[in-house]
Amino acid sequence: MRLYAVVAAGGFRRYATYRVATVAGVFTNTVFGFIMAYAYTALWDERPRLGGYDLAQAVTYVWLGQALLAACATIGGGFEDELIERIRTGDVAVDLYRPVDLQLWWLAADLGRAAFQLLGRGVVPMAVAAVAFDLALPGDPLTWLAFLFAVLLGLVVSFAIRFLIALSAFWLLDGAGVAQLGMLAAMFFSGMLLPLNIFPGALGEVARALPWSSLLQVPADVFLGERTGWDLVGAFGFQAAWALALLAAGRALQSVATRRAVVQGG
C-alpha cells in the first residue's frame, strides 16, 4: 500500500506543477459559477422549492458542482486519455509486466490528481461564492466529514467508470469516441447541468439510480442536509455498491484484455 500512496502523492505533485493552468481553471470555474448561479436564481424565483431545494440550497448546489467538476474529471482531464494512448501505442504492455496492479496504480494516481483539483480548483471558487451569495453551508462538522466521505466515494466511482472507458481501447484502438460519450453521460446524469431531483417521473428515477449520480447529486444532498440518519447510510451504501461493482467489472475486463494482448503478442 505504501507504493500506491507514493503514486497518489506523485499524482498530486504532477498537477501542482501546472500553476498557470490551475489559475485559469479557478477563473473559469468562478465565472461559470456566477453565470449558473444567476440562472438558477432566475429559475428558483419562478419555481420556489423546485426539487425540494430553497434558493440558498440551489445556489450552493451550483458551486458544489463547480468545485467537483475538475476533481471528478466530468469533462475530461483525468487519466483516461493517457491510458487510452498507451493502449493504442502498445506501451501498456510495459505496464502489464510491472509487479504492480494496473487498476490500483491508475486509481492511486487519479486520486492524487483529484485531491489537488479539489483543493486547487474547488476551495477558491467556493470561498468567492460564500462572499457573493447566501450559501447554505453546514454548521455541523460531522456534516462536513460526511460530505468529504461522499466525495471520496464519488471519486472512486468516477475513476471506475473512466477505467472501463479507457479499457475499451483494447478493442476499439481509439477510445476517443467512447470517452466523449462518457463525458456527455457524466454531465447529464451526475446533475452537473440541473439537479437530478427535478427530473420528472421515470427519467428522474433512472437518473438517480445510475452511478453518475454519485459524482455530484449524492455528495450535494449530503452537504445540503438532505441525507441524514439511515438515509445517509443508504447514500453511502449506494455509492459503495456502484464503486465495488464497477471496479470489479474493470478488473474482469482488464483480465480479458491482458489475455488478449498476450495471445496477440505471442
Side-chain angles (χ1 to χ4, degrees):
M1 294 303 296
R2 182 179 178 183
L3 170 63
Y4 299 112
V6 172
V7 173
F12 186 98
R13 288 195 301 270
R14 175 185 177 184
Y15 283 85
T17 59
Y18 299 110
R19 297 182 179 87
V20 175
T22 300
V23 172
V26 168
F27 177 78
T28 302
N29 284 134
T30 303
V31 170
F32 275 94
F34 272 95
I35 293 172
M36 293 188 67
Y38 286 124
Y40 271 47
T41 298
L43 178 59
W44 258 258
D45 283 343
E46 292 295 322
R47 298 283 301 277
R49 301 297 304 180
L50 182 62
Y53 295 152
D54 59 27
L55 179 58
Q57 287 177 312
V59 172
T60 305
Y61 183 96
V62 168
W63 291 100
L64 288 173
Q66 292 304 305
L68 294 175
L69 181 67
C72 292
T74 308
I75 56 174
F79 74 97
E80 58 275 15
D81 290 340
E82 183 178 352
L83 180 53
I84 288 172
E85 181 62 16
R86 292 185 69 81
I87 294 172
R88 189 188 67 81
T89 60
D91 290 341
V92 72
V94 177
D95 302 334
L96 295 172
Y97 277 109
R98 288 173 178 164
V100 295
D101 183 82
L102 182 71
Q103 187 184 58
L104 289 178
W105 175 281
W106 287 104
L107 173 59
D110 197 59
L111 287 178
R113 175 205 60 81
F116 173 77
Q117 296 290 19
L118 191 61
L119 293 173
R121 294 181 59 174
V123 173
V124 174
M126 281 293 291
V128 172
V131 174
F133 299 94
D134 181 20
L135 299 184
L137 301 176
D140 186 355
L142 292 178
T143 302
W144 286 92
L145 290 176
F147 167 69
L148 291 176
F149 186 62
V151 168
L152 175 61
L153 291 174
L155 293 175
V156 176
V157 172
S158 173
F159 163 82
I161 294 172
R162 289 178 287 119
F163 187 70
L164 286 169
I165 289 172
L167 291 183
S168 70
F170 275 105
W171 289 269
L172 301 177
L173 297 183
D174 184 359
V178 179
Q180 289 291 331
L181 290 175
M183 283 189 286
L184 291 174
M187 281 294 293
F188 186 78
F189 289 113
S190 67
M192 194 64 66
L193 299 178
L194 285 171
L196 302 182
N197 294 344
I198 72 175
F199 284 22
L203 176 60
E205 294 294 330
V206 171
R208 288 187 290 272
L210 292 175
W212 290 283
S213 65
S214 297
L215 278 58
L216 172 58
Q217 185 66 61
V218 174
D221 280 341
V222 172
F223 188 88
L224 296 172
E226 297 294 315
R227 301 274 196 155
T228 58
W230 285 109
D231 197 25
L232 177 60
V233 175
F236 291 154
F238 171 82
Q239 290 180 293
W242 269 118
L244 291 173
L246 291 168
L247 288 173
R251 186 162 295 277
L253 195 61
Q254 174 185 319
S255 297
V256 173
T258 301
R259 288 196 297 270
R260 183 174 184 269
V262 169
V263 170
Q264 288 182 342

